[in-house]
Amino acid sequence: MEIVERTERRLEARDLIYEVGATRLLDQVDLNADKGELVGLIGPNGAGKTTLLRTIGGLLKAREGAVLLDGDEVSRMDTGQRAKSIAQVAQLPPLAQGFTALEVVMMGRYPHMGRLQSERSVDRYAVRKALDTAGAGALADRTLETLSGGERQGVFVARALAQEPRLLLLDEPTSNLDINHQARFFHIIRGLVDDGITAVAAIHDLSLAARFCDRLVLLNKGVIVAEGLPHDVLTPKNIEVAFGVRAIVSSDPASGVLGISVMETGSGGNSVGAGTRVHVVCGGGTGARLMYRLCEAGFLVTAGPLANGDTDRSAAESLGVEFVPVQAFGDIDAVAHNKHLRLIRESEIAVLSDVAFGSGNVRSLEALLEASLIVLATMEPIPGRDFTDGEATALFDQLSPVAAWSDLEALVTGLSSLARNNEGTQEIPNSSRENQQ
Amino acid sequence: MALGIVTRLRPPRGAALGTRLAAGGAVLITLLIAIILLSLSTGPLDIPVSHVVSIIVEPTGLHLADYNHTEEMVVERIRLPRIVVGALVGMALGVAGATMQALFRNPLADPGTIGVASGGAAAAVISIATGASSLFFLALPLFALCGAIGTAFLVYAIAIASGRFSVATLILAGVAVSAFMGALITLVIIAEPEQGTLRGILFWLAGGLDSRSWDHVWLSGPLILLGGGVIVAFARDLNLLMMGEDDARSMGVNVRVVRPMLLTAASLITGVAVAVSGMIAFVGLIVPHMLRLVFGPDNRVLIPLSALGGAVFVVLADEIARTVISPAELRVGIITSFIGAPFFLFLLLRHSRRVSSL
């Protein structure tokens, strides 16, 4: 996705406040969009996305704030002037039965025509072009009720284009379409944007938003929570703040496309962690599943030093787990070591994975000496994983792990009972003793 | 029936606006002229069509055939004004019906939906019962017109009283006010001791065009043409309003001005129609529906054709009312319902999928 021009600001909404009765639906919202930019509006139901779009489009009057389009205030435009500048596509296009696609698209020419003027060739040309651009050229003579949802959405995009707007506002336009039509729809919008139109779209599907938008604005309860490039906005932390769910944000290694899936926390046996802070020392892919399962079980997870390119580091990033970033093939410097020590001291339990130790990461074991409670997530003896000529083994022997489980589910159960007993006696649960042999 | 011919002459659905309008207009104007000529020549005194044509074109200086003075008097003083009033009333009801259906995005809307017709009727009935209707010439239609317009304003005031206009509130307020006016009419009828007056009330309520004069034409014609003209000029706005208020506004329709204006125009012409003809049922409901089946929902075609179709329907119904039990007369409102209801049901069943097309 190339960016066309970033020289002038097309849309500038400042300090928008919109209220219904005593309820504030928009609270000092700012939103900017440049020429040739597709801005995605995301957020939970009731966040104010539709209200914001309607306010920008001039359908609602903000109590305070201003919406500027190329410097002109939208609320001061007359309806015709506004319709020539801003077009909107609703979530559910009206089912006005009996009208043909061509007639519907011709309605978009309303602001360009005089009251008693009949359609001119310029209008017919604009309508034909709009239908073709929106991929609805073959539907011109079909009546609306004979069209599928995707086809009808295409007709209403064509109608919006027939207005020849500078700004296109889309309110969850694909929420009723299948995945194929969703992608096709956004490819069309993307093409328009790359040709210089500005579009703001409320989008339900976060992955879709990340894939097609230049920038995202995350809205919650009428307030902007985050805005910026998709991968900066769609962090597990932001998603948890806005949507109230733990999410895994992964980036497809090949395409770079962001994928978002929701973790089911807090249901059934999944909340055993109850916010206990657990620190995981891992690397080389030994901790990915472990961290995921611990997050899912409701533990507050942090991780030790992880080099860039490490699978465990990607896992920590997509889970929103705080970790100690280090350079690949480099040593753990003083700054990293201190951060690691802090994370260990702040957690109630430290878990050591099946990770192998070399000269680069052996300092992790040194830091673990500070842990109050150590659990091993492996039964493998340390000498097999020691590539430091005994330095790692020597450090390991100074640790006094209270338990060890190689089975992930047993580990989760064990950690939760450890967490519960932590305040009282430091008794080791029975199951762990058996396992430790 | 007459409009059935139109169904057979259906132009292709994709035909251009102008083509559809011209085709429909040509058929309906031909029908209207034919029915008017038939209507002018039939009655207690049979007048040959050639004489009728001759009487009509006489003022232009053309002399086509010889006719006697009685024939001239019957055509010019009795039959022609009655037919013109009928045509005007039909136009008004057809246009108002199509307008209300589009404004309310509801195929069941008719000119009486917001209580205009029943308000006009209540005022007329009260004026008959109190004798106020005979105070001066045209007193009855004037009372009815005031009642209709007053009711329209009342209903509109109720709908905007909540602070925010809503179509649903408007329809519900119209239904409530209509029910109230209906009860008022019933009350007056029950309380009326005088047989003659009672008969006059029932007569008026059944809707009729008997003994309408050129004065009725001058009273109703300008207002109906004015209101109808405004609606025709805003037919494209009506199309956009059928897409919903938000859509219409985002495409540039000034809904806050256009909608009250169209409501006022439709209410005015309905009120005028009720004032000069009483309650003529069904025209505003079925004429736009039939035409929509043939010509599609575009109001730029539908509104002008509904005017012509309404005129054809009312003039034809009046012709039947005048002749079917001659020398006595039936009421035109009874005929419109008797013919209209079964024909409408026939269309409904035949095109059950498309009747809802609005």
Side-chain angles (χ1 to χ4, degrees), chain B residues 114-120 146-157 177-178 181:
Chain B
I114 63 165
V116 181
S118 56
C146 291
I149 291 170
T151 309
F153 276 107
L154 174 68
V155 169
Y156 200 75
V177 170
S178 286
M181 295 298 175

Side-chain angles (χ1 to χ4, degrees), chain A residues 325-345:
Chain A
V326 292
Q327 282 299 316
F329 309 112
D331 287 338
I332 298 169
D333 59 20
V335 177
H337 185 66
N338 284 337
K339 184 179 182 188
H340 192 203
L341 283 174
R342 177 174 63 79
L343 290 178
I344 286 174
R345 287 188 194 118

Side-chain angles (χ1 to χ4, degrees), chain B residues 301-316:
Chain B
V301 177
L302 193 63
I303 300 278
L305 294 188
S306 291
L308 292 171
V312 168
F313 187 35
V314 171
V315 174
L316 181 72

